Amino acid sequence: MAYTQFIDGALTTGSAKESWVNYNPANNNVLGEVCQATEEEIDAAICSAEKAFRVWKNKTGAERGRVLLKTAEILRLRLEKIASLETQDVGKPISESLAVDVSSAADALEYFGGIAATIHGDFFDLKNAFGYTRPEPLGICAGIGAWNYPIQIAAWKAAPALACGNSMIFKPSEFTPATALELAKAFIEAGAPAGLFNVVQGDGRVGAMLTNHPQIAKVSLTGSVSTGKKIFAGAANQLKKVTLELGGKSPLIIFEDADIHNAVSAAMLANFYTQGEVCSNGTRVFVQRKIFDSFLKQLKERTEKIRLGDPTDPDTQMGAVISKAHLEKVIRFIDSGKSAGATLLTGGFRPEKDFKGRDITAGNFLTPAIFTDCEDSMEICKEEIFGPVLSILTFDTEEEVIERANNTDYGLAAGVFTNDIKRGHRVIHELQAGTCWINNYNITPVELPFGGYKQSGLGRENSFAAIQHYTQLKSVYVELGNVESPY
Ligand code: NAP
């Protein structure tokens, strides 16, 4: 099959000058051919998005909301089909795509569909005059996605953008071209004007073309810090607005009074869900010295029981990493940890059989790895690995762990486990991270803002906070008296 562009309400026919093969990470079988969008196709996408914007911005919030809600309903009806496409493209277990990926995309559409009619300005009584503000849409927004949560990322960007009256051109990652197309089809079926949500396929060059295009008003990226910096620099040229959802090396701090079973569950979720390919993962697990042995014992035992294998099997708990190149990168990090002196307690190797004895040597599988004897200065404790690699660090005091946790350029997320309610809040308030959890990890309800401090990003997704990132405020002064003039 060919993954083409979705422009002006329909898939293009796919006469691409350039294309590449999309592989299934679980077996490296060919899924299809992805057609890189040409400059002409990008111009066509801009032209149709502009046309749709003119219609869409004049709809009421309630009218826009209805289309978003209907789109969510269509996604939920197609849950199994879309989840299966996601599992094929990403390599994540079907149990995850069914439970999280599609439904969190639908959640965002429902949330922003629901609040579209409530987006409003303010009124100011000014004695013989009054003023009011209008949150107006920006125009055509570009959404650029990473490969770990393709439909979720597309919907987290499209839902607030469209609720605010913008149109969007979305570029999925070159590794995961499928499900953004499903979202585009669902919008059309839900009654969105053609061009309101276009999809262009391509690598970073297409992302750069969108970023630099004078008719794009805003760029929202989910990706790495290095891509974020390029996009920020490109957007700065034209003073475009940006939302940057970038990487992290987040701390998960476990105090000695914590419920150890829950803390182990969270540490596993924070490192092994989606094969560890989650931006907000708590990859630096700080454990207070007194509970180190019991924590480690439980963590090792439970990690070794993770059912790794064929992602399409509903019993599978861990799938394959996105590509051979990424697998090699993760293995290089594991080698670097070993040579720096950390102890690889378990995992970190390529398995031949899965949990049901099936041969999985053709896929990009890696067993979940736990490192102990880590030091803050080691590469594995400083760099984002984006794979199933957990590093344990021990600590003694609250002051010490806060300082060490904050000693990073990243600031996406952080977690604290303690049964001392005062300490939980006190420590979280000191951590330099945008998204934090007390006694849980990686829970991202649409009601709460999501985003990073420091080099982990700019702006926020989800929640009402996203609205200000997709609108611009117009102030209107209305005179009720005479114009006072010195002339
Ligand atoms: P990436 O390499 O930065 O790519 C992200 C997207 O940007 C892709 O669509 C990519 O295109 C595109 N791109 C690359 N160069 C570009 C340029 N010069 N201009 C415009 N677009 C460009 O990241 P990834 O490997 O896909 O994803 C992993 C990263 O995403 C990790 O760092 C992870 O932490 C981060 N992430 C963050 C969040 C969050 O919410 N904070 C969520 C998920 C992932 P191609 O890949 O198609 O070439």
Side-chain angles (χ1 to χ4, degrees), residues 145 147 171 174 202 204 207 222-224 227 245-247 279 384 386 450:
W147 42 258
K171 188 200 90 63
E174 63 185 286
T222 295
S224 59
T227 303
E245 291 288 355
L246 310 177
C279 53
E384 184 185 43
F386 221 55
F450 183 85

Side-chain angles (χ1 to χ4, degrees), residues 144-149 153 156 171-175 202-208 211 221-228 230-231 244-248 278-280 384 386 412 450 456 461:
I144 302 177
W147 42 258
N148 58 340
Y149 278 84
I153 291 171
W156 280 20
K171 188 200 90 63
S173 159
E174 63 185 286
F175 298 104
D203 58 20
R205 288 169 295 166
V206 171
T211 306
L221 166 78
T222 295
S224 59
V225 172
S226 68
T227 303
K230 284 183 207 153
I231 287 183
L244 301 174
E245 291 288 355
L246 310 177
V278 179
C279 53
S280 48
E384 184 185 43
F386 221 55
L412 187 54
F450 183 85
S456 288
E461 291 195 318

Side-chain angles (χ1 to χ4, degrees), residues 353-393:
K353 306 260 183 227
D354 81 351
F355 70 106
K356 286 190 179 163
R358 292 169 288 217
D359 185 336
I360 49 167
T361 43
N364 314 322
F365 291 94
L366 186 70
T367 53
I370 301 173
F371 273 109
T372 56
D373 301 315
C374 298
E375 281 170 24
D376 297 1
S377 58
M378 289 176 180
E379 193 189 25
I380 54 164
C381 300
K382 287 171 74 176
E383 305 292 327
E384 184 185 43
I385 301 175
F386 221 55
V389 183
L390 180 161
S391 298
I392 300 197
L393 299 142

Side-chain angles (χ1 to χ4, degrees), residues 33 66 81 134 155 184 235 264 336 368 375 416 425:
E33 196 179 4
R66 269 200 294 278
K81 180 192 169 197
R134 277 168 58 82
V264 169
S336 140
E375 281 170 24
V416 172
H425 292 287

